[in-house]
Amino acid sequence: MFDMASKEEVLKVLNELLPTKAKDIDDKNLVDKDVIDRLSSAGAFNAVSLGMRSVYEVVREASKWSPAVAHIIMSSSTVALRFKEEGHIYSICITEPGGGTDIKANLKTVAEEKGDEAIITGEKVFASNAAYADRFLVLANGPKGPTLYMVTRDPSVEVEVQDLFTFRGAGVSRVKFNSSHGIRIGTPGKGIREALETVNYERLGYGMIGLGIKEGALEEAGSKALRKVIFGKELGEFQGVRWMLADLEIRSRALDALIRDAIDKAEKGGLDPYDAAMAKLLGAEVAQKATWTAIQIMGGTGFSRGSRLEWLARDARMLDIGAGAREVLYDFIGDLAVKKYRGA
Amino acid sequence: MFDMASKEEVLKVLNELLPTKAKDIDDKNLVDKDVIDRLSSAGAFNAVSLGMRSVYEVVREASKWSPAVAHIIMSSSTVALRFKEEGHIYSICITEPGGGTDIKANLKTVAEEKGDEAIITGEKVFASNAAYADRFLVLANGPKGPTLYMVTRDPSVEVEVQDLFTFRGAGVSRVKFNSSHGIRIGTPGKGIREALETVNYERLGYGMIGLGIKEGALEEAGSKALRKVIFGKELGEFQGVRWMLADLEIRSRALDALIRDAIDKAEKGGLDPYDAAMAKLLGAEVAQKATWTAIQIMGGTGFSRGSRLEWLARDARMLDIGAGAREVLYDFIGDLAVKKYRGA
Amino acid sequence: MFDMASKEEVLKVLNELLPTKAKDIDDKNLVDKDVIDRLSSAGAFNAVSLGMRSVYEVVREASKWSPAVAHIIMSSSTVALRFKEEGHIYSICITEPGGGTDIKANLKTVAEEKGDEAIITGEKVFASNAAYADRFLVLANGPKGPTLYMVTRDPSVEVEVQDLFTFRGAGVSRVKFNSSHGIRIGTPGKGIREALETVNYERLGYGMIGLGIKEGALEEAGSKALRKVIFGKELGEFQGVRWMLADLEIRSRALDALIRDAIDKAEKGGLDPYDAAMAKLLGAEVAQKATWTAIQIMGGTGFSRGSRLEWLARDARMLDIGAGAREVLYDFIGDLAVKKYRGA
Amino acid sequence: MFDMASKEEVLKVLNELLPTKAKDIDDKNLVDKDVIDRLSSAGAFNAVSLGMRSVYEVVREASKWSPAVAHIIMSSSTVALRFKEEGHIYSICITEPGGGTDIKANLKTVAEEKGDEAIITGEKVFASNAAYADRFLVLANGPKGPTLYMVTRDPSVEVEVQDLFTFRGAGVSRVKFNSSHGIRIGTPGKGIREALETVNYERLGYGMIGLGIKEGALEEAGSKALRKVIFGKELGEFQGVRWMLADLEIRSRALDALIRDAIDKAEKGGLDPYDAAMAKLLGAEVAQKATWTAIQIMGGTGFSRGSRLEWLARDARMLDIGAGAREVLYDFIGDLAVKKYRGA
């Protein structure tokens, strides 16, 4: 499939394709097969070879133009890094129609095991990457309770892309498993915990997507509007505008340091789930504030339909929900804080 | 055209039509003629007869489902209230392609006067209501400088609806006046000041639209999600969720008091431009925070394309730009504050 | 005691005394008897004669220099307005050493009734005005449960002023009732509800104190620093500074409208507890933000010990705790919001 | 003076002394000589030997109880690290009575040079550490313009400790140099730039002080209040409280990563002034929010005068002014951001 995955090679493809393709991806809610193939050939789905750090740098860079493409790479890499296997495009199938927060209560998908193999039946929603994936990581109720399985795509797997107003083109889908064939890859009964461990990589990735969206939004608005003259002065000379930008620089610099520190720690001993949760929360803030600011800087023309700022703003909004709603992560972090500070 | 405009009659039409039509209006970026006619027959464009207070209540109510329709009524009423004339649908044509903040520097449209009449030539953007209007309030450079004119629609007026991602269906358009026939209705040379006086009514109206969007968003998310059971408890029982809602109640209650006070004052002595600016700024905050909160409460399903929350969120975003960007209004209010506090 | 209470008379005394006395009051944690007497003679404790609106205007004005004096007038007036009796200085004694939020669980003070009279024994903390009061409104466990009593000051009532860093001079005290003589003035067993009804007047008053602190802080910093020249420009000419002031003007204007509306409603039908709670919450925000901003404007000299900004900032902080912590009020408002929006 | 400075030794002294001495230091606005001597013997003023990383860890730890003591160590170490000389307690004397933001316009102190030596005459305010220092780093107008000099303490140097409500005990003083003897240690005419380079180390230090204040405040409030039972539940079990703590954890974690990254970079190639400015700004936010939250958690008892929370809150406030006001740093960062984003 590829000789040697390299960050440079992947970045070259992204920088070549995304500025011209990103609008189309958002419009059609789909990435064309040739774009997926180009990325694949460049090694974008070889997360183990690339290494965690390079994967996340790729994710950040892709997000400047297409958070959807960044999401595809990130979500697939999440599984690859967690299970040390690469070369596939993976979909993560956890949430069911009842909702994503209370996973246990909503888990209806079942796995009938036969040795290490299993027959999976059930329905998932918000399944990342499903439009492009050849492998599906599925949480299902096995004989010993919730367990992770890997399903290979075949006609028993029905995929229907969801029509969302965010991350269009990321292939987020409703997926039905009709007695689909899978292999148990997790510990029996430990599926929820293992699913969440996998999700941690996505959360860190959302932090990076947040940084990329911020860069993209400010590049876009900055290059088009900061030199515009209003009341005899360039827009970039107004103190209020400078302060708005400064605020974003401060918060994104701290987030960047947090993510790089989290990756350092992860390479030594495993990803800290608190780092991952915090990265996502701060990424959501930075991205939403940056797209808001960018539109203010652009003024009325910032509302043009089908513009880069429009889809970046829509994508930024999702960072507060996907892979763990803001509220759920505050509970998670807050529980630890209470234990730390309440004393003996 | 109508016997007697009454708030009740207009509200009846709005409540009957909007829940079923609002999505279509947003999709097509257009309000069907029969809806405009129904509103017109009910008296929605008879602002003088309705009275300022009723007009704004109608605007608020319409915004729960369709801020676009609210905008049509508000923008037309603005002109009607300011010039004490009603029964037409008015479009406000101030901004030109160079941008809306520095009006003077960008004003290229010219009016050649012949007595009280004038020939208008030029191009406007972000002209409210232009898709539906039979009268256009136009700022143009007359013999004595910027002056307001009223143009009656005829084939010399070219209207092209803009494709924005916000307030779709409000008829915001690019308008070309090709030697169009107008009547001077403002004081020669005082057009910019008079245009801004008119815009004040819009600003107050945006405050009301903000309150309406907030109501609509919380009704939508609340009725669908607050009774949902997560981790054994109704969503509405979580303290964090209650606090998010409380915050919105507090800020919208204060905004409501401010707007009602501003209307009281306006009915006695004229609309205070600071009240108007503040209403718009607070309305923008309330509306954006409410739609953000509503989507958090809905979770993943809050991202469905074409949903009520989607268009309410897109419309809410515009409140920080239209009729005076947030930054411009902060300058306006801040100048007065400095004078007040810096002492002699 | 006085001929006729008038707002003008009280304001005259306040404006004459406070600018010179406020620092001393804060330093000594006490208002001198002659100041209390001057206020009393002017009618500051005749809330029924003054009327609710004038009382709150007096409270706002006093807060520009001495929130402590404002608090004395407000807290006494609260009881006067609630029980339609005036001419005394009232102290409100509800909270006990265990804490003020969960009143019921912490209520240890007991009242032994003999007809309408009662013998009160117990200890209160954070009792407003106790240093100056001749009457104490006391919540105690009577024969039918928590009930309100009025105790007249005599040697059985021990008052020890608390050494707090906020509202110094307001006479907030630890009070011991040693078989003190009281009269039942509330409905037996309904004391907690009735105490909270009384507290509502205080909450509205805190909103006004917040507005007064804001005015005082910006007057102080503005007159001393906005004309200062930095990098060749007056400080007040910097856009960032103007925006900081604008933000305060916006929020205080809305709060002012809310409070005046709440008073209108209260004069017609009784004080709305939600209005009162919201006024306090917004007052706390405005006051804290204003004192923060004022110190930023002053720079290093804003940190001088014993300065007006110092005590205004310390007093502002308390608005988020006294008469109902921010968190408790968010619960209160949030509960109603959930009921409103969760649907049937 | 000491054998070998070690972080452990300094921390041991701090942990032993500060919990019992911190209140006294704040009360008296002075650190006793024996405490200074103990710190000195332990190596607290041997920044070069300790190394930058250890110095900042010491500063953070000291701030949990006494930001004033932390400030003494930090400010002295700033000079030591910048000029690679240690074993003295250094005072930084830059600001003059006219104000600290526009340094150039306010610089009146003059240096008359004789070879490398100089006679310094002038007056400084907000001079850090002056109560304890034996060396003063002084910005003065030399023959070639603003230049840095080092003055050794002798009777010609008059020190008067300022009575501020923040960082009491840090020895911040008004200092008069009356023909005092100094040595030129900076490049002639480059004194302002070099002074600011020195200040960068202080800014980074304020970031650490912010983290320490946060820890101290939450330790204090947490251990005293989170197990308190209200309405039948421990305070720490309330979701709203958990979220308040979570928010602080998130922001302090990111700040911690930023500071550690800044130190890594500084050890390789010099301290990045943007890192330093950002650390201070985020430290100010974290510290003020943490002390605010801690007082909310404590309720009324959080207002006791002379409590740990009180002085931590007063000290936290200063982080937005000292060593560069928030507004000045936003300008600094914003200028760079505009250059980055406005394009060619």
Side-chain angles (χ1 to χ4, degrees):
Chain A
M1 193 176 185
F2 76 112
D3 287 325
M4 201 183 69
S6 88
K7 186 178 75 173
E8 289 67 30
E9 196 59 30
V10 180
L11 290 178
K12 207 180 119 195
V13 174
L14 292 173
N15 290 331
E16 189 191 321
L17 295 183
L18 295 191
T20 53
K21 298 280 187 184
K23 176 172 164 33
D24 186 53
I25 290 169
D26 181 74
D27 277 350
K28 296 199 303 197
N29 197 15
L30 200 78
V31 180
D32 287 341
K33 192 173 177 314
D34 67 290
V35 173
I36 295 285
D37 288 347
R38 286 281 306 276
L39 290 167
S40 189
S41 300
F45 302 110
N46 293 76
V48 179
S49 306
L50 286 169
M52 188 175 170
R53 186 174 308 269
S54 293
V55 166
Y56 284 111
E57 285 172 26
V58 161
V59 165
R60 177 179 185 155
E61 196 65 22
S63 303
K64 291 185 190 175
W65 277 98
S66 177
V69 167
H71 197 277
I72 294 170
I73 296 172
M74 175 201 75
S75 192
S76 185
S77 299
T78 285
V79 181
L81 289 170
R82 178 70 180 70
F83 293 96
K84 315 279 187 225
E85 195 186 302
E86 69 180 17
H88 296 287
I89 300 182
Y90 297 99
S91 165
I92 302 177
C93 305
I94 299 175
T95 301
E96 304 207 354
T101 296
D102 190 349
I103 298 174
K104 199 184 177 83
N106 287 313
L107 187 62
K108 307 274 181 293
T109 297
V110 293
E112 198 180 334
E113 293 195 8
K114 304 184 170 181
D116 278 358
E117 310 206 350
I119 302 301
I120 313 282
T121 303
E123 184 176 355
K124 298 287 179 175
V125 291
F126 297 104
S128 63
N129 272 359
Y132 316 109
D134 56 329
R135 293 287 184 281
F136 299 81
L137 180 72
V138 184
L139 178 70
N141 275 312
K144 298 200 171 167
T147 303
L148 288 180
Y149 301 88
M150 189 68 80
V151 171
T152 297
R153 190 173 203 130
D154 72 17
S156 73
V157 180
E158 286 178 70
V159 171
E160 182 197 354
V161 174
Q162 290 179 255
D163 192 25
L164 306 175
F165 66 76
T166 192
F167 277 86
R168 294 177 62 75
V172 175
S173 304
R174 181 176 290 268
V175 180
K176 278 189 202 159
F177 298 99
N178 305 293
S179 301
S180 301
H181 184 261
I183 294 171
R184 171 157 49 72
I185 62 163
T187 314
K190 305 293 183 200
I192 289 179
R193 207 197 57 197
E194 290 176 356
L196 289 175
E197 280 167 20
T198 310
V199 165
N200 287 332
Y201 287 85
E202 278 196 291
R203 290 178 180 170
L204 192 66
Y206 279 125
M208 271 299 197
I209 291 177
L211 288 175
I213 290 177
K214 176 243 171 192
E215 279 301 303
L218 295 188
E219 269 176 28
E220 180 72 14
S223 62
K224 293 198 172 152
L226 285 175
R227 287 197 177 278
K228 196 173 154 181
V229 174
I230 293 182
F231 301 127
K233 246 187 352 183
E234 282 193 11
L235 191 56
E237 295 300 305
F238 285 84
Q239 190 178 37
V241 171
R242 294 205 311 270
W243 287 13
M244 288 158 83
L245 293 176
D247 201 73
L248 289 164
E249 293 302 285
I250 295 163
R251 291 172 212 295
S252 56
R253 170 71 182 90
L255 172 56
D256 179 75
L258 167 60
I259 292 177
R260 284 190 291 119
D261 190 46
I263 293 174
D264 281 351
K265 283 165 60 181
E267 287 181 340
K268 284 171 200 153
L271 178 57
D272 181 332
Y274 294 97
D275 284 350
M278 290 174 178
K280 189 174 108 76
L281 290 163
L282 293 172
E285 288 180 21
V286 162
Q288 289 175 76
K289 195 165 191 180
T291 51
W292 186 92
T293 300
I295 291 175
Q296 288 305 109
I297 287 173
M298 293 283 281
T301 57
F303 289 99
S304 301
R305 208 188 185 200
S307 69
R308 183 181 179 190
L309 282 186
E310 189 209 350
W311 74 73
L312 290 179
R314 281 190 271 109
D315 292 351
R317 179 63 189 86
M318 204 278 285
L319 300 186
D320 264 329
I321 291 286
R326 170 164 287 268
E327 294 72 25
V328 172
L329 302 187
Y330 264 69
D331 277 347
F332 175 60
I333 297 164
D335 282 349
L336 189 71
V338 166
K339 278 177 198 133
K340 178 176 166 192
Y341 290 117
R342 76 182 164 198
Chain B
M1 192 176 186
F2 77 111
D3 287 326
M4 201 182 70
S6 88
K7 185 179 74 172
E8 289 67 30
E9 196 59 31
V10 181
L11 290 178
K12 207 180 121 196
V13 174
L14 292 173
N15 290 331
E16 188 190 322
L17 295 182
L18 296 190
T20 52
K21 299 277 187 186
K23 178 173 163 32
D24 187 52
I25 291 168
D26 181 75
D27 276 350
K28 297 199 301 195
N29 197 16
L30 201 77
V31 180
D32 286 341
K33 191 172 178 314
D34 66 291
V35 172
I36 295 286
D37 288 347
R38 286 281 306 276
L39 289 168
S40 189
S41 302
F45 302 110
N46 292 76
V48 180
S49 307
L50 285 169
M52 188 175 171
R53 187 175 306 271
S54 293
V55 166
Y56 284 111
E57 284 173 27
V58 161
V59 165
R60 179 181 184 153
E61 195 65 21
S63 304
K64 291 186 190 174
W65 277 99
S66 177
V69 167
H71 197 276
I72 294 169
I73 296 172
M74 175 201 76
S75 193
S76 184
S77 300
T78 284
V79 181
L81 289 168
R82 178 71 181 68
F83 293 96
K84 314 277 187 230
E85 194 186 302
E86 69 180 16
H88 295 287
I89 300 183
Y90 296 98
S91 165
I92 303 178
C93 303
I94 299 174
T95 302
E96 304 207 356
T101 296
D102 191 349
I103 298 174
K104 198 185 178 83
N106 288 312
L107 188 62
K108 307 272 183 294
T109 298
V110 294
E112 200 180 335
E113 293 195 8
K114 304 183 169 183
D116 278 359
E117 310 205 351
I119 302 301
I120 313 282
T121 303
E123 184 176 355
K124 298 285 180 178
V125 291
F126 297 105
S128 64
N129 272 359
Y132 316 109
D134 55 329
R135 293 286 185 279
F136 298 82
L137 179 72
V138 184
L139 178 70
N141 275 311
K144 298 200 170 166
T147 303
L148 288 180
Y149 300 87
M150 189 67 79
V151 171
T152 299
R153 190 174 203 129
D154 71 17
S156 74
V157 180
E158 285 177 71
V159 172
E160 182 197 353
V161 175
Q162 289 179 254
D163 192 25
L164 306 175
F165 66 76
T166 191
F167 277 85
R168 294 177 62 74
V172 174
S173 304
R174 181 176 288 268
V175 180
K176 279 191 200 156
F177 298 99
N178 304 294
S179 301
S180 301
H181 183 262
I183 295 170
R184 172 158 49 72
I185 60 165
T187 314
K190 304 293 184 202
I192 289 180
R193 208 198 56 198
E194 290 176 355
L196 289 175
E197 280 167 20
T198 310
V199 164
N200 287 332
Y201 287 85
E202 277 196 291
R203 290 179 180 169
L204 192 67
Y206 278 125
M208 272 299 197
I209 290 177
L211 288 175
I213 289 177
K214 177 244 172 192
E215 280 300 304
L218 295 189
E219 269 177 26
E220 180 73 13
S223 63
K224 291 197 173 153
L226 286 175
R227 287 198 178 278
K228 196 173 153 181
V229 174
I230 293 181
F231 301 127
K233 254 197 331 195
E234 283 193 10
L235 192 55
E237 296 299 306
F238 285 84
Q239 190 179 36
V241 171
R242 294 204 311 269
W243 286 13
M244 288 158 83
L245 294 176
D247 202 71
L248 289 163
E249 293 302 285
I250 295 163
R251 293 173 210 295
S252 56
R253 170 71 181 91
L255 172 55
D256 179 76
L258 167 59
I259 292 176
R260 283 190 291 120
D261 189 46
I263 294 174
D264 282 352
K265 283 165 59 180
E267 287 181 341
K268 283 171 202 154
L271 179 57
D272 181 333
Y274 294 97
D275 284 350
M278 290 175 178
K280 188 175 108 77
L281 289 164
L282 293 172
E285 287 181 21
V286 162
Q288 289 175 75
K289 195 164 192 182
T291 51
W292 186 92
T293 300
I295 290 175
Q296 288 305 111
I297 287 173
M298 291 285 280
T301 57
F303 290 98
S304 301
R305 209 187 184 199
S307 69
R308 182 181 180 190
L309 281 185
E310 190 208 350
W311 75 72
L312 290 177
R314 280 190 273 109
D315 293 350
R317 180 65 189 84
M318 205 277 285
L319 300 186
D320 263 329
I321 291 287
R326 169 164 288 268
E327 294 72 25
V328 172
L329 302 187
Y330 264 68
D331 277 347
F332 175 61
I333 297 165
D335 282 349
L336 188 72
V338 167
K339 277 177 200 134
K340 176 176 167 192
Y341 290 116
R342 76 182 165 198
Chain C
M1 192 177 184
F2 77 112
D3 287 325
M4 200 183 71
S6 88
K7 186 178 74 172
E8 290 66 30
E9 196 59 30
V10 180
L11 289 179
K12 206 180 121 195
V13 175
L14 292 173
N15 290 331
E16 188 191 321
L17 295 182
L18 295 191
T20 52
K21 298 279 187 187
K23 177 173 163 32
D24 187 52
I25 290 168
D26 181 75
D27 276 348
K28 296 200 302 196
N29 198 16
L30 201 78
V31 180
D32 287 342
K33 193 174 176 315
D34 67 291
V35 173
I36 296 286
D37 288 347
R38 287 280 307 275
L39 290 168
S40 189
S41 301
F45 302 111
N46 292 77
V48 179
S49 306
L50 285 169
M52 188 174 172
R53 187 175 307 270
S54 292
V55 166
Y56 283 111
E57 284 172 26
V58 161
V59 165
R60 178 180 184 154
E61 196 65 23
S63 303
K64 292 185 189 174
W65 277 100
S66 177
V69 167
H71 197 276
I72 294 170
I73 297 171
M74 175 201 76
S75 192
S76 185
S77 300
T78 284
V79 181
L81 289 169
R82 178 71 180 69
F83 293 96
K84 315 278 185 226
E85 194 186 302
E86 68 180 17
H88 296 286
I89 301 183
Y90 297 99
S91 165
I92 302 177
C93 304
I94 299 175
T95 301
E96 305 208 354
T101 296
D102 190 350
I103 298 174
K104 198 183 178 84
N106 287 314
L107 187 63
K108 306 273 183 292
T109 297
V110 293
E112 199 179 334
E113 294 195 7
K114 304 183 171 185
D116 278 359
E117 309 205 351
I119 303 301
I120 313 281
T121 302
E123 183 175 356
K124 298 286 180 177
V125 292
F126 298 105
S128 64
N129 272 357
Y132 316 108
D134 55 330
R135 294 287 184 279
F136 298 82
L137 180 71
V138 184
L139 177 71
N141 274 313
K144 298 201 171 164
T147 303
L148 288 180
Y149 300 88
M150 189 68 80
V151 170
T152 298
R153 189 172 204 131
D154 72 17
S156 74
V157 181
E158 285 178 71
V159 172
E160 182 197 353
V161 174
Q162 289 180 255
D163 192 25
L164 306 175
F165 66 76
T166 192
F167 277 86
R168 294 178 62 75
V172 175
S173 304
R174 181 176 289 268
V175 180
K176 279 191 201 158
F177 298 99
N178 304 293
S179 301
S180 302
H181 184 261
I183 294 170
R184 172 157 50 71
I185 61 164
T187 314
K190 304 293 183 200
I192 289 179
R193 208 198 56 197
E194 290 176 355
L196 289 175
E197 280 167 19
T198 310
V199 164
N200 287 332
Y201 287 84
E202 277 196 291
R203 290 178 181 170
L204 192 66
Y206 279 126
M208 271 299 197
I209 290 177
L211 288 174
I213 290 177
K214 176 243 169 191
E215 279 301 304
L218 294 189
E219 268 176 29
E220 180 73 13
S223 62
K224 292 197 173 152
L226 285 176
R227 287 196 178 277
K228 196 172 153 181
V229 174
I230 294 181
F231 302 127
K233 249 191 345 187
E234 283 193 11
L235 192 56
E237 295 300 305
F238 285 84
Q239 189 179 37
V241 171
R242 294 204 310 271
W243 287 12
M244 287 158 83
L245 294 176
D247 201 73
L248 289 164
E249 293 302 285
I250 296 163
R251 291 172 212 295
S252 56
R253 170 71 182 88
L255 172 55
D256 179 75
L258 167 60
I259 292 177
R260 285 190 290 118
D261 189 46
I263 293 174
D264 282 351
K265 283 165 59 181
E267 287 180 340
K268 283 170 202 154
L271 179 57
D272 181 332
Y274 293 97
D275 284 350
M278 289 174 179
K280 189 174 107 76
L281 290 164
L282 293 172
E285 288 180 21
V286 161
Q288 289 175 76
K289 195 164 192 181
T291 51
W292 186 92
T293 299
I295 291 175
Q296 288 305 110
I297 287 173
M298 292 284 280
T301 57
F303 290 98
S304 300
R305 209 187 184 201
S307 69
R308 183 180 180 191
L309 282 186
E310 190 208 350
W311 74 73
L312 290 179
R314 281 190 272 107
D315 293 351
R317 180 64 189 87
M318 205 278 284
L319 301 186
D320 263 330
I321 291 287
R326 170 165 288 268
E327 294 73 24
V328 172
L329 302 187
Y330 264 68
D331 277 346
F332 176 60
I333 297 164
D335 282 349
L336 189 71
V338 167
K339 277 177 199 133
K340 177 176 166 193
Y341 289 116
R342 76 182 164 198
Chain D
M1 191 178 186
F2 77 112
D3 287 325
M4 201 183 69
S6 88
K7 186 179 75 172
E8 289 67 30
E9 196 60 30
V10 180
L11 290 178
K12 208 181 119 195
V13 174
L14 292 173
N15 290 331
E16 188 191 321
L17 295 182
L18 296 190
T20 53
K21 298 279 187 185
K23 177 173 164 31
D24 186 52
I25 290 168
D26 181 75
D27 276 350
K28 297 199 302 197
N29 197 16
L30 200 78
V31 179
D32 287 341
K33 192 173 177 314
D34 67 292
V35 172
I36 295 286
D37 287 347
R38 285 280 307 274
L39 289 168
S40 189
S41 301
F45 302 111
N46 293 78
V48 180
S49 306
L50 285 169
M52 187 175 172
R53 186 175 306 271
S54 292
V55 166
Y56 284 111
E57 283 173 26
V58 162
V59 165
R60 178 181 185 153
E61 195 64 23
S63 303
K64 291 186 190 174
W65 277 99
S66 176
V69 167
H71 197 275
I72 294 170
I73 297 172
M74 176 202 76
S75 192
S76 184
S77 300
T78 284
V79 181
L81 288 169
R82 178 70 179 68
F83 292 96
K84 314 280 186 225
E85 194 187 302
E86 69 180 16
H88 296 287
I89 300 183
Y90 297 99
S91 165
I92 302 177
C93 304
I94 299 175
T95 301
E96 304 207 355
T101 295
D102 191 348
I103 299 174
K104 198 183 178 83
N106 288 313
L107 187 62
K108 307 271 182 293
T109 298
V110 292
E112 199 179 334
E113 293 196 8
K114 305 184 169 182
D116 278 359
E117 309 204 351
I119 303 300
I120 313 281
T121 302
E123 183 175 356
K124 297 286 180 176
V125 292
F126 297 105
S128 64
N129 271 358
Y132 315 109
D134 55 330
R135 294 286 184 281
F136 299 81
L137 180 71
V138 184
L139 178 70
N141 274 313
K144 299 200 170 164
T147 304
L148 288 180
Y149 300 88
M150 188 68 79
V151 171
T152 299
R153 189 173 203 131
D154 71 17
S156 74
V157 181
E158 285 178 71
V159 172
E160 182 197 353
V161 175
Q162 290 180 254
D163 192 26
L164 307 175
F165 67 76
T166 192
F167 276 86
R168 295 178 61 75
V172 175
S173 304
R174 181 177 288 268
V175 180
K176 279 190 200 159
F177 297 99
N178 304 294
S179 301
S180 301
H181 183 262
I183 294 171
R184 171 158 50 73
I185 61 163
T187 313
K190 304 293 183 200
I192 289 179
R193 207 199 57 197
E194 290 176 355
L196 289 175
E197 279 167 21
T198 310
V199 165
N200 287 332
Y201 287 85
E202 276 195 293
R203 290 178 180 169
L204 192 66
Y206 279 126
M208 272 300 197
I209 290 177
L211 288 175
I213 289 177
K214 176 242 170 193
E215 280 300 303
L218 295 189
E219 269 177 28
E220 180 73 13
S223 63
K224 292 198 173 153
L226 286 175
R227 286 197 178 279
K228 196 171 155 181
V229 174
I230 293 181
F231 301 128
K233 247 189 347 186
E234 283 193 11
L235 191 56
E237 295 300 305
F238 285 84
Q239 190 179 36
V241 171
R242 294 204 310 270
W243 286 13
M244 289 158 84
L245 293 176
D247 201 72
L248 288 163
E249 293 302 284
I250 295 163
R251 293 174 210 293
S252 56
R253 171 70 182 89
L255 172 55
D256 179 75
L258 167 60
I259 292 177
R260 284 190 292 119
D261 190 46
I263 294 174
D264 282 352
K265 283 165 59 181
E267 287 181 340
K268 283 171 201 154
L271 179 56
D272 181 333
Y274 294 96
D275 284 350
M278 290 175 178
K280 189 174 107 78
L281 290 163
L282 293 172
E285 288 181 21
V286 162
Q288 289 175 77
K289 194 164 192 182
T291 51
W292 186 91
T293 300
I295 290 175
Q296 288 304 110
I297 287 173
M298 292 284 280
T301 57
F303 290 99
S304 301
R305 208 187 185 200
S307 69
R308 183 181 180 189
L309 281 186
E310 189 208 350
W311 74 72
L312 290 178
R314 281 190 272 108
D315 293 351
R317 179 64 189 86
M318 205 278 285
L319 300 186
D320 263 330
I321 291 287
R326 170 165 288 268
E327 293 73 24
V328 172
L329 302 187
Y330 264 68
D331 277 347
F332 175 61
I333 297 164
D335 282 349
L336 188 72
V338 167
K339 278 177 198 133
K340 177 176 165 192
Y341 290 116
R342 77 181 165 198

